[in-house]
Amino acid sequence: MRYDTIILGAGAAGMMCAAHTGGRTLVLDHAKAPGEKIRISGGGRCNFTNMYAGPENFLSANPHFCKSALSRYTQWDFIDLVARHGIAYHEKTLGQLFCDNSAKDIIAMLRGEMAKAGAELRLETTITSVSQDGSGFVVETEQHGKPATFRAANLVLATGGKSIPKMGATGLAYDIARQFGLNILPTRAGLVPFTFPDGRFKPLSGTALPVRATAGGKSFDEALLFTHRGLSGPSMLQISSYWREGETITVNLLPDGNAFEALKAKRQTDGRRQMHTVLGHLLPARLADHLGEVWSLKGNLADQSDKALQALADRLHGWEMTPAGTEGYRTAEVTLGGIDTDALSSKTMEAKTVPGLYAIGEAVDVTGWLGGFNFQWAWSSGWAAGTAIRNKRGS
């Protein structure tokens, strides 16, 4: 069976690409339903983009690569598409846009756009091999035990990265890209909680507070959540993409205050109180008790000198710790690294040395921050490849 374009992967990027390629397009996926990551994202409401999306919100070995696609298909273009489909949405915080109803609305929208473009979708289909012959690409598959062969002039790799393997994530895109001579940069889990196997934060599980978290020279002002395994919450997920194993992370527990001045003021009014009790006025009580114990805070506040209060303030503004690791791909929202952008055209997403081969979305070494940025990269890169294929066909 011959097509103009075969897209491997019916996720966000793959469906977006299929909606724009034109011609005979086939989308293949091993899952039972398309857009599974879309479905579970944002607590089931899909944080589908961010109003402030720009190149500065992405990590890559080549930070300039994402600029072309992001500037030609912006968050406003996708927001317009959402609005045209009558999908109600709202801003939650920091420019993050969510569906009012359900993430399934976004999936239905993309399926509708694919159908309008005439793209065909085949699910529960396993890719057994990919090769090239004189006329293009040959994709061997198996569906419910029945083999099938498909051919196309264009092949798009949109199978994502390794994150959340229980949903079927694999390194298929990397394997195929490597097969055709494309370089693959080392991958690691991104937007993922930190672990501390000694269980030090287990008593604090469920406690949350706003912080400024720093790792790898990058800081984020968002919430921290203590878990029985370690540290999570938006601030921890954000800095996990910049952290390397063995490095320390720094947490400012009072990012909007001056701990020294606050403690001095409390010394005047609450001098007879124990140190951990006073900390409970500045921090969640359980955290204050924990810090009082691990930092060995003794005596009344009135007994503390300015020097001692400054030392405590410095700790509160710069609490350093070294995670043992992260929870890995099991819970990671994204995969860092992947197909080297040096191998691709930033305008078309086509491989420079393999005409007709494209790579988009999470499979490529472009990773966004938490907050809708990775979906925007899926939309932008999928659009870039899809329109390039359509323009190449002259339709």
Side-chain angles (χ1 to χ4, degrees), residues 209-228:
L209 74 162
V211 304
R212 177 174 299 130
T214 303
K218 192 69 178 178
S219 298
F220 291 90
D221 284 28
E222 294 197 56
L224 177 152
L225 173 68
F226 292 94
T227 73
H228 65 281

Side-chain angles (χ1 to χ4, degrees), residues 138-176:
V138 181
V139 180
E140 302 282 352
T141 70
E142 186 176 283
Q143 184 183 45
H144 304 306
K146 297 180 180 179
T149 301
F150 304 99
R151 289 179 167 80
N154 305 298
L155 179 67
V156 183
L157 305 181
T159 57
K162 296 180 178 180
S163 56
I164 317 185
K166 70 179 181 181
M167 293 186 66
T170 69
L172 178 63
Y174 310 142
D175 295 338
I176 296 173

